[in-house]
Amino acid sequence: MDNSPPSKRSSPFNTTNFSKRAKHNHEPTPSLDSGPSTGMTFAQKMMAKMGYQKGAGLGKEGTGIVAPIEVKLRPQGAGVGTVNEKTAQAKAEEKRRAEQKGEVYEDSSEEERAARKKRKEVAKAVGGAGSKTSAVGPGRSKKKIRTVAEIEKEEGLEVPNVFKSLIDHTGAAGPKLLTSTAGLMTPTAAGTSSEEPKIATYARRELDAFASAWHELQERKETSTVLSQRLQEEIEQQAAEMLNLKTIAEAVNSITVLDVPSVMSEVSAEELDEQLESLTSRLEEVQLRFAQDIERFDLYDVAVAAIQPLFKKFISLWHPFEEPLRFVPYLVRLRAILGISQGSDDTVLVDEHGLPGRQKLCSPYESLIYSHWLPKVRTVVVNDWDATDPTPMLTLMSGWKEVLPALAYDIVVNQLVVPKLSAAIQAWQPHAVRAGRRTSAEPHTWLFPWLEHLDEYHLDPKSSNGLLAEVKRRFRTAFSNWDPAKGVMEGLDSWQEVKAFRGELKHTLELNLLPRLAQYLHARFDVNPAKQDITPIENILKWKSFFSSEKFGRVLVDAFFPKWLNVLHLWLTSEPSYEEIGEWYSWWQSQFPDEINGVPAIAAEWEKGLTMMNKAIDLGPDRVKTDLAAPLAGPARPVVGLRSHAAKAAKVEEARTAAAKEAPAEDITLRDIMEDLCEKEGLMMIPLRKAHPETGLPLMRVTASATGSGGVVIYMKGDVVYAQSKKNKSAWEPVDVFDEGALTGLAEAR
């Protein structure tokens, strides 16, 4: 055997070449299932190493094809589907896979043969064995022709005599009786003439057609009878409606229309009430008698037209705050005929496709209210009503609410009442208290009664322009400038009862008032054992109920204990009397409530003082002066944000004090404070000789430039500063000018 390496084959591998070489070498033909051998090709060796066995399918699981894919050509010019293109190899492969899965393989040709066979069996069963039925065809049946007796019985008609006796005049033998009623519908004998069955068949067909026509006429007769009855009922119904309409017209004509010019010239209040009562009684009678026809005949127009002259006269003589409910009882009695309860104003019509169309037109009664009642109320509210006295307006709105259209009620509340309340809130100065007197009524006395009538966004203190949001801004400014010596702000307890405002009020107190209390203690309180004034402590303790003990304790830790510990250290290092110091220590502890002393931070400060006293005793009089360590200048962990807020509050306090010294007889305004802040920060506030387009308030420019350019344009409304947006010149946003660097940042913006 030649052991030299095999040379490259010039022809592709096939069974013939391989067999010849095996025979020439006197060796058996190698197979893939016999394992690797030198007689195998490179591809066969690779497949054998990967686990392939002859006769098995390809793939790891052996589920692939066994034989190579065969190609079957169509005849030239034939399209797809002309021949069965599935080869024998493909069918064998599908059958093998089905058997592996445990399924029964069905060839498409076998399915077609089974379907054709089934159709033939069904056609054979439907067609039957008789020759007459097969001639008619499957699924069809011969039309049954009824006999004369059946027609007379079923249709209820009398068959004419011409169909009962048929005489043949065509024969040479003369007239001949072919059939009679008894044999008209029976088949003729086989030996009869060929013409007789034809004549009998024609007669049968004519008789059946006559019966069908008779049946159709009977149905038309019944339909005509029903239509006649319906028309008669409609005529009677129309007659009843005409009579009813005539009665309604007579009732409407009976309503006397007053002579309006003469009435308006000299009518008195008593005469007006008499005429209103008379007219209302007549309309009530119509409303009661024709309750079902009000909407059908649109009696709303008639009723509104009847009361319009008197209503107009009533409005001209009416004083809403003096007689708020005078006309309401008459309208309540006529609610149905006036259409007062016919739905809200925002009803939208729907077209034939179910889509929303145009908005519903204004009803006659709504037009009456908008034309006469609303202008009168608008004039009174704008000119005569004081928002701090809610009783007259609340009485008016509560009494008219049940007879007012929804839109009219909304206009009064949102366009008349709310602007008045907003202006009153802006004019409210909670910190302006002089000699124990308030400059204006507290908002809770006149705003709380309106809360149930306001929209939801007015009740949200987080909204941008709601009433409670405006109150929150006023409180924020008032707390930042509040003098604790004035005591607790009047009415603040009432605001805590408003659930929607409670959380925001607590946050505003902690953010603005708490730093103010700390600053007040820093500035007004001193520890003096010889002559102690605890008035500042008493003033801030009045606010204790508005804060948690932990929050309030932080004020004492930041503002009280540093001073107290310094004085204690000074006393201990100056030949002290420890008995007096102990009494002084106990006395100070008794000045604060137990819940404050129980705060861990407060207890720690008292412990610091006690530790310092014990340390001084341990050191003795010789070493205490030099070895007793002085306390820290402030708390070990200052209250986060408290000093920054206290600094801002100090700025406001300094500005307020400076303005008070310059003009003690005048109220301090926000403009005075702004001028002081600009002066302290080296800014300029220049009047522009222009007014805000909506409020009419003067505009100012705050700038850091010596030329007066740049900066920001502002206006002041109440205690709030509004700055013009850089991106949108028509937008104005409230700003907190007391934030550190906020005013300078606005002024230096380009």
Side-chain angles (χ1 to χ4, degrees), residues 385-395 397-398 401 409 413 417 421 442-455 459 467-468 494-495 498:
W385 181 53
D386 182 6
T388 59
D389 182 14
T391 303
M393 196 63 193
L394 284 172
T395 304
M397 296 304 297
S398 300
K401 184 176 182 179
Y409 185 85
V413 173
V417 174
L421 296 176
E442 292 299 323
H444 70 276
T445 61
W446 44 267
L447 184 59
F448 283 7
W450 286 105
L451 295 181
E452 60 179 319
H453 302 275
L454 300 177
D455 292 337
L459 306 180
L467 290 180
L468 289 189
S494 301
W495 286 99
V498 182

Side-chain angles (χ1 to χ4, degrees), residues 74 77-85:
R74 302 191 209 101
V80 178
T82 304
V83 297
N84 188 0
E85 299 183 6

